[in-house]
Amino acid sequence: MEQRTLDTFALGGDLEVKRLGFGAMRITGDGIWGPPDDPEEPKRLLRRVVERGVNLIDTADSYGPEVSEELIAEALHPYPDDLVIATKAGLRRTGPGEWPRDARPERIKECCEGSLRRLRLDRIDVYQLHAPDPNVPIEESLGAMRELQEQGKVRHIGVSNVSPEDLDRARAVVEVVSAQCRFSLTDRAQEPVLDACEQAGLAFIPWFPLATGDLAKPGGPVDEIARAHDATPAQVALAWLLQRSPVMLPIPGTSSIEHFEENLGAAELRLSDEEMASLGAAA
Ligand SMILES: NC(=O)c1ccc[n+]([C@@H]2O[C@H](COP(=O)([O-])OP(=O)(O)OC[C@H]3O[C@@H](n4cnc5c(N)ncnc54)[C@H](OP(=O)(O)O)[C@@H]3O)[C@@H](O)[C@H]2O)c1
């Protein structure tokens, strides 16, 4: 059965996605490094994600590296027409848990060729700069993405891990459709980026929406409201995000079908104004 109650967002004006997406970082091996123990499990999960009507999958060439994109293609290609895969470029992997930045234009172009090949696509729907590289002006990294867009290899461009100033600089070079930043009930440091996205009508994609599961724990900060709704803390944390802003597109990450189903249930949950206010004041 498809999710019924999720409203949609027109990403880039023309890609209608359900507002609760799926983060495909956690389907690799430990430390987001290498393959998972049983590659069939994440493939089952990915098929379930699509069956349930979720049509925004976030990934990156650096997840694994390469593993997440490869599993997505193995599980889902040929893709449903409405599926939007948002991938990223601009980091290297040198070992488990290591993510050095490299957003030189030549590197971005190399990453793009690799992602197109692994995802078996002619064009990437949403291509995100994973993070600004302190050694490369953001205009140069985005300039490479603009070239890829002009060549038809990229449909829309997004940014990630940016400040409001970075976002302004990026938008002066290309049409940016989304910004992805760390954001959750307990971590709102990037609220100014959310505000900028709201003003400009861009999607804001909060990563770490469950704070690595901490917000999902019984006894955690959202447990009481969860009990009142006969819901779980993870669902409350996600429902708070969905209600916090109409441009919010959370992409909770999991390796488990059970957790995925639970997270999807957040779409059914409606928090009252009082609950939104009390959660808002709690962090
Ligand atoms: N742009 C960036 O720099 C950046 C950085 C990090 C992540 N991301 C993207 O954002 C997505 C989400 O971020 P994230 O995966 O780091 O954080 P998250 O979604 O907040 O948390 C994922 C963690 O929570 C657990 N979890 C998920 N659902 C749960 C539930 N219902 N109950 C209990 N535990 C649950 C997962 O474990 P189980 O596997 O056991 O469910 C996993 O350990 C990623 O998949 C990736 O696509 C982007």
Side-chain angles (χ1 to χ4, degrees):
M1 196 183 67
E2 286 207 352
Q3 36 172 328
R4 290 177 191 281
T5 52
L6 259 188
D7 50 353
T8 60
F9 182 89
L11 196 47
D14 61 355
L15 298 174
E16 202 73 19
V17 293
K18 303 271 173 49
R19 283 185 53 219
L20 197 53
F22 176 75
M25 185 180 83
R26 306 268 172 189
I27 60 173
T28 71
D30 283 348
I32 323 299
W33 187 257
D37 292 341
D38 173 9
E40 290 312 310
E41 234 172 86
K43 286 194 236 172
R44 272 196 295 276
L45 168 62
L46 286 161
R47 288 189 202 105
R48 180 71 68 92
V49 165
V50 169
E51 272 164 31
R52 296 285 267 129
V54 169
N55 66 346
L56 172 63
I57 296 182
D58 179 78
T59 184
D61 65 333
S62 51
Y63 297 164
E66 304 186 0
V67 174
S68 175
E69 290 183 332
E70 282 167 356
L71 286 170
I72 290 169
E74 283 168 30
L76 301 178
H77 191 274
Y79 302 114
D81 287 344
D82 69 342
L83 180 66
V84 173
I85 300 173
T87 191
K88 314 186 194 77
L91 301 182
R92 282 186 185 274
R93 296 303 305 277
T94 46
E98 296 174 16
W99 309 78
R101 297 183 184 198
D102 184 352
R104 290 170 298 129
E106 56 272 36
R107 171 69 182 155
I108 300 278
K109 291 177 193 169
E110 182 185 78
C111 290
C112 182
E113 296 305 326
S115 290
L116 286 169
R117 192 181 60 248
R118 281 185 295 277
L119 288 167
R120 304 181 209 165
L121 288 170
D122 297 326
R123 182 173 66 164
I124 294 168
D125 274 336
V126 181
Y127 204 35
Q128 306 163 96
L129 176 65
H130 209 142
D133 179 340
N135 298 315
V136 181
I138 196 168
E139 289 80 3
E140 289 184 20
S141 307
L142 268 310
M145 291 200 156
R146 187 183 53 207
E147 273 183 53
L148 293 166
Q149 195 174 40
E150 284 162 0
Q151 291 164 5
K153 295 176 179 176
V154 165
R155 186 165 179 168
H156 292 303
I157 294 171
V159 291
S160 174
N161 299 306
V162 289
S163 65
E165 295 70 35
D166 294 330
L167 181 58
D168 283 345
R169 285 172 62 184
R171 295 184 70 212
V173 180
V174 289
E175 189 184 339
V176 173
V177 304
S178 60
Q180 183 171 142
C181 290
R182 194 161 97 178
F183 190 81
S184 67
L185 198 42
T186 52
D187 180 356
R188 299 190 219 157
Q190 301 310 318
E191 210 146 44
V193 182
L194 169 60
D195 293 343
C197 286
E198 267 187 359
Q199 274 166 25
L202 313 183
F204 181 83
I205 304 177
W207 64 262
F208 226 35
L210 300 169
T212 317
D214 280 357
L215 284 167
K217 283 188 187 140
V222 293
D223 196 26
E224 200 176 309
I225 289 175
R227 283 166 198 270
H229 283 273
D230 201 13
T232 67
Q235 290 171 334
V236 172
L238 293 171
W240 178 82
L241 284 168
L242 288 168
Q243 279 179 240
R244 170 66 184 76
S245 167
V247 303
M248 187 84 74
L249 308 183
I251 45 165
T254 180
S255 55
S256 128
I257 289 184
E258 198 183 317
H259 282 167
F260 163 70
E261 294 285 354
E262 177 184 332
N263 296 343
L264 197 55
E268 315 283 335
L269 190 59
R270 288 287 168 273
L271 300 172
S272 68
D273 291 348
E274 292 75 35
E275 287 167 336
M276 284 299 288
S278 102
L279 287 167

